[in-house]
Amino acid sequence: MSKSPIALFDSHIHLDDPRYADTLPVLMENAKARGVIGAIIPGTVASAFTNITSITQQYPNCYGAYGLHPYFMAMHTESDLEIVEQYLKKGHAVAVGECGLDAMIDADMDAQLALFKAHIRLALEYDLPLIIHTRKTVDLVLKEIRKHPNLRGVFHSFSGSIQQAEIIRQHNFLMGFGGPVTFDRAQKLQRLVKHLTLDDFVLETDGPFQAGSHRINDLHYPEDLRNIAEYVATLRGDSLESLSHATTTNTKHLFKL
């Protein structure tokens, strides 16, 4: 009996990044040749939303999310949240985000928290999952999530503890893993990935950011999801077929694709 073809789904990639613009058709074909069948494109700033929508129209298996990333707090205006909601009203968004909290940047945490709560409100109102960014803020984010049992979503590029992961599992959220797990120094993260079940996580590149160990000094490409999947499958002792099937199923279920 022949093996099923590998079908991977990138749960988080910034295809709207200008560094992809000139070669995106080729990059998408290369990814398809390596078994990548779709992608979620998270928003970061309101000015990028038009481009995200354009890409999703060009590539049927790419889907847009709309949100305001905490890293760009200085760029966001009060009207940007209204723009997010305008895109949600159109009915094409599969998630709210990328949003969250970041303790590693010079931005007021109270202001970040107010913006994050606004994204939570929109996710609940439009019955959409959240794509959450956390850096040194997992407990703060969990404090807010606990208040809303109906919330669901994904902790993108999760790097927290096993104890935090157990709480996340209990609150309808998945965890996303990508390039960082492939480095030898990431032993804590690797232990976490081995601890989880196949139902608990999704795969991502976060391209062009957070390249894996195979591209230390290079741009991170959509096709690199295959390298990440192969690494995680070997790490866990799973077959690539079972890992790809589970993580793609998890992604499709979370984003209702």
Side-chain angles (χ1 to χ4, degrees), residues 4 35 65 89 98 106 119 122-123 165 169 172 185 191 194 221 225 248 254 257:
S4 301
K89 285 179 178 178
E98 180 176 357
D106 184 20
H119 283 82
L122 290 172
R169 291 167 67 172
N172 303 314
R185 64 178 180 270
R191 286 194 295 271
K194 291 168 69 174
Y221 294 106
L225 190 67
T248 293
L254 175 62
L257 304 178

PDB file of all heavy atoms in Angstrom, residues 4 35 65 89 98 106 119 122-123 165 169 172 185 191 194 221 225 248 254 257:
ATOM      1  N   SER A   4       0.186   7.860   2.065  1.00  0.00           N
ATOM      2  CA  SER A   4      -0.590   9.049   1.716  1.00  0.00           C
ATOM      3  C   SER A   4       0.370  10.210   1.481  1.00  0.00           C
ATOM      4  O   SER A   4       1.421  10.301   2.130  1.00  0.00           O
ATOM      5  CB  SER A   4      -1.561   9.402   2.848  1.00  0.00           C
ATOM      6  OG  SER A   4      -2.447   8.340   3.106  1.00  0.00           O
ATOM      7  N   GLY A  35       4.796  19.741  -0.151  1.00  0.00           N
ATOM      8  CA  GLY A  35       3.668  19.250   0.625  1.00  0.00           C
ATOM      9  C   GLY A  35       2.931  20.268   1.446  1.00  0.00           C
ATOM     10  O   GLY A  35       2.076  19.909   2.267  1.00  0.00           O
ATOM     11  N   ALA A  65      -6.086  36.629   8.631  1.00  0.00           N
ATOM     12  CA  ALA A  65      -6.515  37.026   9.966  1.00  0.00           C
ATOM     13  C   ALA A  65      -6.176  38.504  10.116  1.00  0.00           C
ATOM     14  O   ALA A  65      -5.236  38.994   9.483  1.00  0.00           O
ATOM     15  CB  ALA A  65      -5.808  36.201  11.032  1.00  0.00           C
ATOM     16  N   LYS A  89     -16.212  42.118   9.613  1.00  0.00           N
ATOM     17  CA  LYS A  89     -17.594  42.188   9.136  1.00  0.00           C
ATOM     18  C   LYS A  89     -17.743  41.666   7.708  1.00  0.00           C
ATOM     19  O   LYS A  89     -18.818  41.196   7.329  1.00  0.00           O
ATOM     20  CB  LYS A  89     -18.102  43.635   9.206  1.00  0.00           C
ATOM     21  CG  LYS A  89     -18.427  44.119  10.609  1.00  0.00           C
ATOM     22  CD  LYS A  89     -18.894  45.566  10.586  1.00  0.00           C
ATOM     23  CE  LYS A  89     -19.275  46.051  11.971  1.00  0.00           C
ATOM     24  NZ  LYS A  89     -19.693  47.479  11.974  1.00  0.00           N
ATOM     25  N   GLU A  98      -2.743  38.994  14.421  1.00  0.00           N
ATOM     26  CA  GLU A  98      -1.980  38.575  15.568  1.00  0.00           C
ATOM     27  C   GLU A  98      -2.085  39.641  16.653  1.00  0.00           C
ATOM     28  O   GLU A  98      -1.899  40.814  16.391  1.00  0.00           O
ATOM     29  CB  GLU A  98      -0.531  38.366  15.128  1.00  0.00           C
ATOM     30  CG  GLU A  98       0.430  37.939  16.173  1.00  0.00           C
ATOM     31  CD  GLU A  98       1.826  37.661  15.582  1.00  0.00           C
ATOM     32  OE1 GLU A  98       2.014  37.750  14.362  1.00  0.00           O
ATOM     33  OE2 GLU A  98       2.726  37.365  16.377  1.00  0.00           O
ATOM     34  N   ASP A 106       9.540  48.155  24.492  1.00  0.00           N
ATOM     35  CA  ASP A 106       9.322  49.387  25.232  1.00  0.00           C
ATOM     36  C   ASP A 106       7.939  49.935  24.887  1.00  0.00           C
ATOM     37  O   ASP A 106       7.791  50.890  24.130  1.00  0.00           O
ATOM     38  CB  ASP A 106      10.411  50.404  24.876  1.00  0.00           C
ATOM     39  CG  ASP A 106      10.281  51.682  25.688  1.00  0.00           C
ATOM     40  OD1 ASP A 106       9.627  51.644  26.746  1.00  0.00           O
ATOM     41  OD2 ASP A 106      10.832  52.714  25.273  1.00  0.00           O
ATOM     42  N   HIS A 119      -9.295  42.911  21.319  1.00  0.00           N
ATOM     43  CA  HIS A 119      -9.251  41.787  20.383  1.00  0.00           C
ATOM     44  C   HIS A 119     -10.060  40.597  20.900  1.00  0.00           C
ATOM     45  O   HIS A 119     -10.738  39.910  20.127  1.00  0.00           O
ATOM     46  CB  HIS A 119      -7.800  41.356  20.138  1.00  0.00           C
ATOM     47  CG  HIS A 119      -7.036  42.256  19.220  1.00  0.00           C
ATOM     48  ND1 HIS A 119      -6.459  43.421  19.643  1.00  0.00           N
ATOM     49  CD2 HIS A 119      -6.754  42.166  17.888  1.00  0.00           C
ATOM     50  CE1 HIS A 119      -5.839  44.007  18.629  1.00  0.00           C
ATOM     51  NE2 HIS A 119      -6.007  43.269  17.544  1.00  0.00           N
ATOM     52  N   LEU A 122     -13.658  41.252  20.152  1.00  0.00           N
ATOM     53  CA  LEU A 122     -13.981  41.027  18.745  1.00  0.00           C
ATOM     54  C   LEU A 122     -14.041  39.533  18.423  1.00  0.00           C
ATOM     55  O   LEU A 122     -14.921  39.092  17.671  1.00  0.00           O
ATOM     56  CB  LEU A 122     -12.943  41.711  17.862  1.00  0.00           C
ATOM     57  CG  LEU A 122     -12.971  43.238  17.841  1.00  0.00           C
ATOM     58  CD1 LEU A 122     -11.768  43.791  17.081  1.00  0.00           C
ATOM     59  CD2 LEU A 122     -14.268  43.736  17.212  1.00  0.00           C
ATOM     60  N   ALA A 123     -13.123  38.766  18.990  1.00  0.00           N
ATOM     61  CA  ALA A 123     -13.132  37.321  18.742  1.00  0.00           C
ATOM     62  C   ALA A 123     -14.423  36.690  19.245  1.00  0.00           C
ATOM     63  O   ALA A 123     -15.011  35.820  18.576  1.00  0.00           O
ATOM     64  CB  ALA A 123     -11.922  36.670  19.415  1.00  0.00           C
ATOM     65  N   ALA A 165       1.358  24.935  29.478  1.00  0.00           N
ATOM     66  CA  ALA A 165       0.758  24.215  28.351  1.00  0.00           C
ATOM     67  C   ALA A 165      -0.460  23.417  28.795  1.00  0.00           C
ATOM     68  O   ALA A 165      -1.457  23.333  28.065  1.00  0.00           O
ATOM     69  CB  ALA A 165       1.797  23.285  27.717  1.00  0.00           C
ATOM     70  N   ARG A 169      -4.229  23.816  27.248  1.00  0.00           N
ATOM     71  CA  ARG A 169      -5.002  22.692  26.721  1.00  0.00           C
ATOM     72  C   ARG A 169      -6.423  22.682  27.278  1.00  0.00           C
ATOM     73  O   ARG A 169      -7.365  22.281  26.588  1.00  0.00           O
ATOM     74  CB  ARG A 169      -4.313  21.373  27.088  1.00  0.00           C
ATOM     75  CG  ARG A 169      -3.014  21.137  26.393  1.00  0.00           C
ATOM     76  CD  ARG A 169      -2.224  20.003  27.010  1.00  0.00           C
ATOM     77  NE  ARG A 169      -2.857  18.705  26.830  1.00  0.00           N
ATOM     78  CZ  ARG A 169      -2.279  17.560  27.147  1.00  0.00           C
ATOM     79  NH1 ARG A 169      -1.059  17.553  27.662  1.00  0.00           N
ATOM     80  NH2 ARG A 169      -2.888  16.422  26.946  1.00  0.00           N
ATOM     81  N   ASN A 172      -9.334  25.394  25.399  1.00  0.00           N
ATOM     82  CA  ASN A 172      -9.685  25.388  23.969  1.00  0.00           C
ATOM     83  C   ASN A 172      -8.630  26.043  23.076  1.00  0.00           C
ATOM     84  O   ASN A 172      -8.948  26.492  21.976  1.00  0.00           O
ATOM     85  CB  ASN A 172     -11.028  26.088  23.729  1.00  0.00           C
ATOM     86  CG  ASN A 172     -12.154  25.467  24.534  1.00  0.00           C
ATOM     87  OD1 ASN A 172     -12.276  24.247  24.570  1.00  0.00           O
ATOM     88  ND2 ASN A 172     -12.956  26.296  25.179  1.00  0.00           N
ATOM     89  N   ARG A 185      19.971  24.032  21.198  1.00  0.00           N
ATOM     90  CA  ARG A 185      19.885  24.680  22.506  1.00  0.00           C
ATOM     91  C   ARG A 185      18.456  24.703  23.066  1.00  0.00           C
ATOM     92  O   ARG A 185      18.252  24.997  24.248  1.00  0.00           O
ATOM     93  CB  ARG A 185      20.401  26.112  22.418  1.00  0.00           C
ATOM     94  CG  ARG A 185      19.568  27.007  21.510  1.00  0.00           C
ATOM     95  CD  ARG A 185      20.093  28.440  21.484  1.00  0.00           C
ATOM     96  NE  ARG A 185      19.312  29.300  20.623  1.00  0.00           N
ATOM     97  CZ  ARG A 185      19.547  29.487  19.338  1.00  0.00           C
ATOM     98  NH1 ARG A 185      20.559  28.869  18.754  1.00  0.00           N
ATOM     99  NH2 ARG A 185      18.788  30.294  18.617  1.00  0.00           N
ATOM    100  N   ARG A 191      11.435  19.279  24.981  1.00  0.00           N
ATOM    101  CA  ARG A 191      10.763  18.428  25.980  1.00  0.00           C
ATOM    102  C   ARG A 191       9.267  18.680  25.985  1.00  0.00           C
ATOM    103  O   ARG A 191       8.453  17.754  26.120  1.00  0.00           O
ATOM    104  CB  ARG A 191      11.353  18.678  27.374  1.00  0.00           C
ATOM    105  CG  ARG A 191      12.730  18.074  27.581  1.00  0.00           C
ATOM    106  CD  ARG A 191      13.100  18.052  29.063  1.00  0.00           C
ATOM    107  NE  ARG A 191      13.238  19.393  29.601  1.00  0.00           N
ATOM    108  CZ  ARG A 191      14.371  20.088  29.604  1.00  0.00           C
ATOM    109  NH1 ARG A 191      15.473  19.565  29.062  1.00  0.00           N
ATOM    110  NH2 ARG A 191      14.410  21.293  30.141  1.00  0.00           N
ATOM    111  N   LYS A 194       7.601  17.068  22.928  1.00  0.00           N
ATOM    112  CA  LYS A 194       7.512  15.622  23.114  1.00  0.00           C
ATOM    113  C   LYS A 194       6.433  15.247  24.121  1.00  0.00           C
ATOM    114  O   LYS A 194       5.838  14.168  24.043  1.00  0.00           O
ATOM    115  CB  LYS A 194       8.872  15.074  23.562  1.00  0.00           C
ATOM    116  CG  LYS A 194       9.940  15.130  22.480  1.00  0.00           C
ATOM    117  CD  LYS A 194      11.324  14.867  23.033  1.00  0.00           C
ATOM    118  CE  LYS A 194      11.492  13.431  23.486  1.00  0.00           C
ATOM    119  NZ  LYS A 194      12.911  13.179  23.898  1.00  0.00           N
ATOM    120  N   TYR A 221      11.578  30.687   4.281  1.00  0.00           N
ATOM    121  CA  TYR A 221      10.663  30.526   3.155  1.00  0.00           C
ATOM    122  C   TYR A 221       9.453  29.652   3.507  1.00  0.00           C
ATOM    123  O   TYR A 221       9.522  28.819   4.419  1.00  0.00           O
ATOM    124  CB  TYR A 221      11.400  29.902   1.964  1.00  0.00           C
ATOM    125  CG  TYR A 221      12.467  30.790   1.390  1.00  0.00           C
ATOM    126  CD1 TYR A 221      13.817  30.515   1.611  1.00  0.00           C
ATOM    127  CD2 TYR A 221      12.142  31.916   0.639  1.00  0.00           C
ATOM    128  CE1 TYR A 221      14.809  31.327   1.087  1.00  0.00           C
ATOM    129  CE2 TYR A 221      13.126  32.734   0.114  1.00  0.00           C
ATOM    130  CZ  TYR A 221      14.457  32.435   0.340  1.00  0.00           C
ATOM    131  OH  TYR A 221      15.435  33.249  -0.177  1.00  0.00           O
ATOM    132  N   LEU A 225       8.377  24.831   6.067  1.00  0.00           N
ATOM    133  CA  LEU A 225       7.483  24.099   6.957  1.00  0.00           C
ATOM    134  C   LEU A 225       7.778  22.607   6.901  1.00  0.00           C
ATOM    135  O   LEU A 225       7.635  21.900   7.897  1.00  0.00           O
ATOM    136  CB  LEU A 225       6.020  24.369   6.588  1.00  0.00           C
ATOM    137  CG  LEU A 225       4.991  23.854   7.602  1.00  0.00           C
ATOM    138  CD1 LEU A 225       5.094  24.635   8.905  1.00  0.00           C
ATOM    139  CD2 LEU A 225       3.578  23.956   7.052  1.00  0.00           C
ATOM    140  N   THR A 248      -2.376  19.320  10.372  1.00  0.00           N
ATOM    141  CA  THR A 248      -3.230  19.945   9.359  1.00  0.00           C
ATOM    142  C   THR A 248      -4.693  19.864   9.776  1.00  0.00           C
ATOM    143  O   THR A 248      -5.447  20.839   9.638  1.00  0.00           O
ATOM    144  CB  THR A 248      -3.022  19.277   7.990  1.00  0.00           C
ATOM    145  OG1 THR A 248      -1.693  19.569   7.546  1.00  0.00           O
ATOM    146  CG2 THR A 248      -4.005  19.809   6.952  1.00  0.00           C
ATOM    147  N   LEU A 254      -9.475  24.341  13.895  1.00  0.00           N
ATOM    148  CA  LEU A 254      -9.421  25.590  14.668  1.00  0.00           C
ATOM    149  C   LEU A 254      -9.972  26.755  13.858  1.00  0.00           C
ATOM    150  O   LEU A 254     -10.757  27.564  14.368  1.00  0.00           O
ATOM    151  CB  LEU A 254      -7.987  25.884  15.081  1.00  0.00           C
ATOM    152  CG  LEU A 254      -7.753  27.234  15.792  1.00  0.00           C
ATOM    153  CD1 LEU A 254      -8.534  27.307  17.088  1.00  0.00           C
ATOM    154  CD2 LEU A 254      -6.272  27.461  16.013  1.00  0.00           C
ATOM    155  N   LEU A 257     -11.931  25.608   8.443  1.00  0.00           N
ATOM    156  CA  LEU A 257     -11.664  25.601   7.011  1.00  0.00           C
ATOM    157  C   LEU A 257     -12.277  24.371   6.363  1.00  0.00           C
ATOM    158  O   LEU A 257     -12.352  23.315   6.974  1.00  0.00           O
ATOM    159  CB  LEU A 257     -10.146  25.636   6.776  1.00  0.00           C
ATOM    160  CG  LEU A 257      -9.403  26.801   7.425  1.00  0.00           C
ATOM    161  CD1 LEU A 257      -7.910  26.686   7.163  1.00  0.00           C
ATOM    162  CD2 LEU A 257      -9.938  28.129   6.928  1.00  0.00           C
TER     163      LEU A 257
END
